[in-house]
Amino acid sequence: MSHGDTIPLHSSAQSDIDEIENLINAGSHPVTVLPARPPSPPRASIPVSFVPSAAPPSLPSYQKVPPSTAPPPPPLPNAPAAAGSRLGVGIAADGFGSPPDTLTEPVLDTVKRDLSRIVSNLKLVVFPNPFREDPGKALRDWDLWGPFFFIIFLGLVLSWSASVKKSEVFAVAFAVLAAGAVILTLNVLLLGGHIIFFQSLSLLGYCLFPLDIGALICMLKDNVVIKIVVVSITLAWSSWAAYPFMSAAVNPRRKALALYPVFLMYISVGFLIIAID
Amino acid sequence: YKLLKLLVQAVIAEEKPSAGTSQCSGEEQAANNWKGFCSLSSYTPYFNVDTEVVVDRIISSVYPMDDFSRKIDGSPDLYGPVWISATLVFMLAALGNYGTYLIQKRSEPNGDWEFDVSYVDWAACVVFGYAIAVPAAFYFLLQYFGLNANLVRLWCMWGYSLFVFVPASVSIFFFPLLFLVVPSEIFRWIIIILAGSASSWFVYLNLKVSTEGSDTMPLVVSALVLQFALALFIKIFFFS
């Protein structure tokens, strides 16, 4: 919790806060799906701008990572304004849930939350553990920030490594990866597979992470043999990460048809990494 | 069972039942399952193939026999053309650059070789442009001459005809390595001429079947010539 105790309140204000919390908790429980954690004790904290923040947010059901900020109770600088904001906040918490909260939280919290989601998705996708409890979990918790970072990073590394036509190299790499992800997803859908479009984009983007590492290593070491070895290893790793999700999505008789374009895309990117010097 | 399925599909295509509703643009109901350009399910019938079907069609495209027309009679697929073209683009760009690398290393061993990204652009434009535009042009020409042509069949056939260039490109570089022979110009020309001839003959035979021997012989011959011209262009641009 990033706010912490800032200003101690009068005791009557504290009981008001408790009352509001009870009302909101009682009203919102049927609607919300809260994560399994003990409710945070009501703490007084006054945000600098006196913007009324929501009470416990109603989390959307796909949110697996609990928000890093426990929501503060509504501030009570003066009673009339607080009453108005209390009502508004109460309605907001019950009806519309999280948007007021994530809009007013500090940027660092949003960034930290997104980063932690990227890291957790990465661990699920790229380091698949056969003993994990839910093989399809990463697909449900998709986001597009991770793939975006990885594609841009790979394009930048290739562009830095190139000695001529740097912008063209970046354009080719970005186009191949971005359009390739879309086309690969369409390919699976057209073959009659069951996959959700953005989940698949997210997945293919995360599977680029090993190739990112390989490209970085190849940029630093300029020996051809080392490059070939590194790219082969990271290529195999990427393909191994993408294989279970793609093959599970289609009819077993069409598995090779769905997987071959994935290998083609990764092999062409690997070749770009080796050849650029 | 597969034969029965193909027969049923052919019958359905003949009768053209009206099915499905158009959701995207509110146009009139199409005669088949076409649901508009925006709906993905209107393209699904053209990807309704299994791995062994695709492999079978690829193999029958390398040997220019006229089995191919019968194989795609009921269900021409677009999976083959799309991914064979993509593979060919990658092969041409990769092996073309590898060729310039070898030449560079032989002429000045300590020189700088640069990866030429424009090969990728050229390969993509040429291969995809050819695979999309030439069958479309022939479709319109055949319709103009009063023959009933199916655009998807033409795309399918031309797409599979490009497959033979993939092993040809690979063998231009790696066949000599097997026999420890320096890749010479004559050898490259021989391979390209063989591949071009096989591909052109394949196109010619299948187009002749589609046009049923009417007065469109110049058209069919021009298809053959075009395919051969593509082979020559590939050789001259990527592999000299």
Side-chain angles (χ1 to χ4, degrees):
Chain A
M1 170 123 168
S2 65
H3 299 301
D5 290 326
T6 50
I7 298 178
L9 285 187
H10 197 262
S11 55
S12 63
Q14 187 63 35
S15 63
D16 277 345
I17 293 172
D18 290 344
E19 206 177 287
I20 294 163
E21 279 256 322
N22 290 338
L23 272 175
I24 291 171
N25 277 336
S28 67
H29 271 163
V31 196
T32 64
V33 179
L34 291 175
R37 59 184 175 93
S40 52
R43 276 189 262 187
S45 66
I46 299 179
V48 177
S49 60
F50 295 150
V51 175
S53 352
S58 57
L59 292 174
S61 55
Y62 62 74
Q63 193 84 3
K64 304 278 186 190
V65 179
S68 52
T69 60
L76 299 174
N78 40 6
S85 67
R86 219 182 299 158
L87 280 178
V89 161
I91 292 173
D94 279 341
F96 303 114
S98 69
D101 183 58
T102 57
L103 272 180
T104 58
E105 67 182 4
V107 173
L108 202 60
D109 288 340
T110 314
V111 169
K112 275 196 287 193
R113 182 157 38 97
D114 285 333
L115 278 179
S116 72
R117 189 166 55 191
I118 289 177
V119 168
S120 72
N121 272 344
L122 199 61
K123 280 197 291 218
L124 282 168
V125 171
V126 178
F127 306 98
N129 176 13
F131 304 109
R132 66 168 178 249
E133 61 286 348
D134 189 4
K137 184 171 190 288
L139 283 185
R140 281 205 288 276
D141 212 2
W142 60 268
D143 73 302
L144 288 178
W145 277 118
F148 176 72
F149 284 138
F150 294 143
I151 291 181
I152 295 277
F153 182 73
L154 190 56
L156 282 176
V157 168
L158 285 175
S159 173
W160 278 324
S161 314
S163 34
V164 291
K165 290 187 181 172
K166 286 174 183 276
S167 52
E168 202 173 325
V169 168
F170 178 83
V172 166
F174 187 83
V176 165
L177 290 169
V182 173
I183 293 175
L184 286 173
T185 313
L186 285 179
N187 182 50
V188 170
L189 286 173
L190 284 168
L191 284 173
H194 301 292
I195 208 169
I196 301 182
F197 186 74
F198 286 109
Q199 281 178 357
S200 169
L201 287 188
S202 167
L203 181 80
L204 287 168
Y206 275 112
C207 291
L208 276 180
F209 176 73
L211 281 169
D212 274 354
I213 300 179
L216 198 58
I217 296 178
C218 288
M219 184 172 76
L220 301 172
K221 295 262 179 217
D222 220 1
N223 187 356
V224 175
V225 177
I226 290 184
K227 275 190 186 179
I228 292 180
V229 167
V230 165
V231 166
S232 317
I233 293 176
T234 53
L235 188 70
W237 185 7
S238 281
S239 312
W240 177 65
Y243 177 83
F245 298 103
M246 287 308 236
S247 68
V250 283
N251 190 342
R253 286 180 311 172
R254 302 184 181 183
K255 217 162 54 165
L257 295 185
L259 286 171
Y260 168 72
V262 179
F263 293 147
L264 183 66
M265 182 172 94
Y266 287 152
I267 285 178
S268 61
V269 171
F271 176 78
L272 261 183
I273 296 175
I274 293 181
I276 300 250
D277 56 1
Chain B
Y1 171 71
K2 215 176 278 188
L3 203 58
L4 187 63
K5 195 168 70 169
L6 278 177
L7 200 63
V8 168
Q9 273 176 332
V11 165
I12 289 177
E14 294 280 329
E15 291 179 338
K16 297 188 194 297
S18 61
T21 55
S22 64
Q23 304 159 356
C24 192
S25 52
E27 61 206 4
E28 286 237 331
Q29 265 199 13
N32 46 18
N33 281 331
W34 187 251
K35 292 197 176 80
F37 284 103
C38 310
S39 160
L40 205 63
S41 57
S42 54
Y43 299 104
T44 330
Y46 302 124
F47 283 80
N48 193 16
V49 282
D50 293 336
T51 311
E52 60 235 6
V53 172
V54 172
V55 170
D56 186 34
R57 290 179 184 183
I58 285 179
I59 292 178
S60 72
S61 81
V62 176
Y63 304 109
M65 310 174 287
D66 54 357
D67 268 335
F68 188 78
S69 300
R70 263 178 275 133
K71 286 185 184 174
I72 65 169
D73 248 339
S75 57
D77 74 303
L78 288 177
Y79 178 91
V82 168
W83 291 110
I84 290 176
S85 313
T87 311
L88 190 59
V89 167
F90 165 65
M91 285 288 169
L92 290 179
L95 294 173
N97 271 301
Y98 185 60
T100 60
Y101 173 78
L102 288 179
I103 291 174
Q104 180 89 16
K105 284 300 163 191
R106 201 171 304 133
S107 61
E108 32 170 322
N110 294 327
D112 266 342
W113 171 74
E114 279 139 12
F115 176 79
D116 194 359
V117 167
S118 65
Y119 272 33
V120 178
D121 304 335
W122 271 104
C125 290
V126 165
V127 172
F128 278 112
Y130 184 88
I132 292 176
V134 168
F138 272 90
Y139 171 72
F140 285 120
L141 283 175
L142 287 175
Q143 295 280 55
Y144 175 74
F145 281 117
L147 293 163
N148 209 3
N150 185 355
L151 183 57
V152 180
R153 280 197 58 160
L154 288 175
W155 268 330
C156 178
M157 191 257 295
W158 247 282
Y160 277 102
S161 76
L162 290 176
F163 173 76
V164 74
F165 292 117
V166 172
S169 322
V170 173
S171 67
I172 280 183
F173 280 103
F174 296 115
F175 190 77
L177 283 182
L178 287 176
F179 291 83
L180 302 175
V181 169
V182 172
S184 62
E185 275 296 298
I186 305 284
F187 184 71
R188 293 182 183 192
W189 277 108
I190 291 176
I191 289 194
I192 276 292
I193 288 176
L194 278 177
S197 321
S199 190
S200 314
W201 193 249
F202 174 80
V203 169
Y204 171 74
L205 278 179
N206 283 287
L207 210 54
K208 206 165 63 151
V209 165
S210 294
T211 61
E212 299 293 333
S214 58
D215 200 14
T216 53
M217 193 49 69
L219 212 60
V220 178
V221 171
S222 67
L224 191 153
V225 170
L226 261 180
Q227 191 84 1
F228 205 76
L230 177 73
L232 291 180
F233 176 80
I234 286 178
K235 163 67 184 72
I236 293 172
F237 191 82
F238 290 102
F239 294 128
S240 16

